[in-house]
């Protein structure tokens, strides 16, 4: 835990479920408000995470029951689920825990890429789950050619049995060696990425297919522009659904507007900066 002491029972306390740029933007905006207590929560998966301003807690809560206990002990009055669109367990737990504790919750989900008409001209291949990507690769990528994997360290084992293709693997932290495909080149880096750098990387490694989650946002979109330029297909893993019945917003400004309504506090959202 970093930052100041947790608030008492009589003060509003907002929990931001984080791990995204939007969550860090929310923390900056709430810090600027000055009068609202908030805590950002990180899963603790990344060894050197970009830290939000203000109070931060790190690590899982211990499932729904653990989160319920945290919400009660911390006198949490509202939850903003600003986790990554693929953090489905955390979102599901927050849904159940907030419902059980009768705490208002909003889900902040930035728009995805594959529904955006700006990317209609890409050679998309949509797959509902990452486990289906190797089959797609085996049907459309010639043996020996290079596939660019940008889906993260934790799902890599899905590709570890492919002996037919070379993989350009990009992750933030070093993956477990046993998860890597037999033939690979590993690039450790963290976004944001520029178009020129993405084009240079994909050209240098003679990439013939890009694999991405439908993460959305601007920080890592440059790889799609490079794939368009190179005319290569893009396998996109579709997003898991948001818990049914959730209140959803798509940017930080809307999340803060929701917060002012949920807490009936007097902080006009137009005074804050959009993420
Ligand atoms: P996940 O599968 O939904 O979460 C697995 C477990 O990790 C959760 O049940 C929870 O443990 C813990 N957890 C997840 N997010 C947490 C948070 N913000 N604070 C405290 N505990 C959290 O999530 P994931 O896909 O592993 O992602 C982990 C984190 O990385 C998320 O915060 C997400 O925003 C960020 N992230 C994920 C991706 C991605 O592609 N999945 C990409 C970029 C960033 P307990 O059940 O013990 O509470």
């Amino acid at each position: 835990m970093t930052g100041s002491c947790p608030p008492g029972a009589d003060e509003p306390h907002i929990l931001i479920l984080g791990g995204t740029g939007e969550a860090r933007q929310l923390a900056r905006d709430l810090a600027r408000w000055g009068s609202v207590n908030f805590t950002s929560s990180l899963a603790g998966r990344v060894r050197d995470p970009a830290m939000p301003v203000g109070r931060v807690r790190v690590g899982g809560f211990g499932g729904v029951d653990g989160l319920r206990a945290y919400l009660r002990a911390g006198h949490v009055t509202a939850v903003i689920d600003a986790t990554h669109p693929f953090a489905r367990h955390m979102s599901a737990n927050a849904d159940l825990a907030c419902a059980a504790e009768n705490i208002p919750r909003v889900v902040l989900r930035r728009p995805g890429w594959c529904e955006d008409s700006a990317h209609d001209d890409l050679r998309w291949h949509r797959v509902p789950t990452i486990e289906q990507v190797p089959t797609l690769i085996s049907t459309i990528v010639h043996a020996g050619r290079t596939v660019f994997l940008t889906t993260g360290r934790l799902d890599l084992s899905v590709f570890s049995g492919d002996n037919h293709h070379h993989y350009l693997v990009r992750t933030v932290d070093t993956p477990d060696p046993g998860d890597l495909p037999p033939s690979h080149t590993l690039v450790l880096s963290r976004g944001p990425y520029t178009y020129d750098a993405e084009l240079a990387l994909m050209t240098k490694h003679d990439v013939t297919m890009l694999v991405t989650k439908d993460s959305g946002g601007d920080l890592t979109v440059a790889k799609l522009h490079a794939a368009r330029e190179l005319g290569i297909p893009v396998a996109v893993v579709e997003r898991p659904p948001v818990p049914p019945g959730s209140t959803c917003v798509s940017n930080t400004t809307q999340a803060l507007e929701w917060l002012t309504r949920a807490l009936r506090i007097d902080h006009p959202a137009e005074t804050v900066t959009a993420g």
Side-chain angles (χ1 to χ4, degrees), residues 122-125 133 136-150 162 164-169 183 185 198-212 223-224 226-236:
L122 278 172
R123 294 170 57 195
W124 289 120
H125 292 267
V133 176
L136 175 68
I137 291 172
S138 69
T139 55
I140 64 173
V141 182
H142 289 118
R145 305 305 301 270
T146 299
V147 176
F148 186 17
L149 275 188
T150 64
D162 184 355
H164 301 295
H165 300 93
H166 184 75
Y167 285 88
L168 175 62
V169 178
S183 176
T185 303
E198 294 292 60
L199 189 60
L201 180 74
M202 290 159 76
T203 303
K204 176 181 169 193
H205 292 275
D206 198 15
V207 166
T208 53
M209 183 183 206
L210 168 67
V211 181
T212 180
K223 61 190 171 188
L224 298 183
R228 175 183 292 110
E229 175 64 22
L230 295 170
I232 62 170
V234 179
V236 59

Side-chain angles (χ1 to χ4, degrees), residues 17-20 41-43 45 57 59-63 83-84 86-90 93 154 213:
L17 298 171
T20 59
S41 178
L42 303 179
R45 296 285 167 76
R57 66 162 301 285
F61 295 96
T83 54
H84 189 270
F86 282 79
R88 63 188 172 92
H89 296 110
M90 190 67 255
N93 291 354
L154 300 177
K213 292 176 176 171

Side-chain angles (χ1 to χ4, degrees), residues 15-193:
L15 175 63
I16 303 170
L17 298 171
T20 59
E22 287 86 350
R24 291 189 293 279
Q25 181 64 50
L26 282 171
R28 282 194 292 275
D29 288 337
L30 288 178
R32 221 171 289 139
W33 283 13
S35 55
V36 176
N37 289 298
F38 65 93
T39 302
S40 299
S41 178
L42 303 179
R45 296 285 167 76
V46 179
R47 267 186 276 279
D48 181 22
M51 292 299 275
V53 300
R55 187 188 306 115
V56 179
R57 66 162 301 285
V58 181
F61 295 96
V64 176
D65 289 344
L67 180 54
R68 286 186 66 179
Y70 178 89
L71 296 174
R72 283 196 301 270
H75 308 291
V76 172
T77 41
V79 172
I80 302 179
D81 174 358
T83 54
H84 189 270
F86 282 79
R88 63 188 172 92
H89 296 110
M90 190 67 255
S91 291
N93 291 354
D95 174 37
L96 294 173
C98 289
E101 298 298 325
N102 198 24
I103 292 172
R105 172 187 59 96
V106 71
V107 180
L108 196 175
R109 284 288 179 276
R110 66 179 85 123
W113 293 317
C114 68
E115 303 300 338
D116 183 342
S117 59
H119 302 302
D120 276 354
D121 58 336
L122 278 172
R123 294 170 57 195
W124 289 120
H125 292 267
R126 298 172 192 220
V127 284
T129 67
I130 196 162
E131 285 74 17
Q132 290 158 278
V133 176
T135 304
L136 175 68
I137 291 172
S138 69
T139 55
I140 64 173
V141 182
H142 289 118
R145 305 305 301 270
T146 299
V147 176
F148 186 17
L149 275 188
T150 64
T151 41
R153 174 173 60 98
L154 300 177
D155 296 311
L156 269 180
S157 62
V158 168
F159 303 92
S160 63
D162 184 355
N163 294 306
H164 301 295
H165 300 93
H166 184 75
Y167 285 88
L168 175 62
V169 178
R170 182 165 68 193
T171 59
V172 176
D173 284 329
T174 309
D176 184 330
D179 289 345
L180 284 159
S183 176
H184 69 266
T185 303
L186 179 62
V187 177
L188 296 179
S189 69
R190 185 201 300 258
Y193 301 103

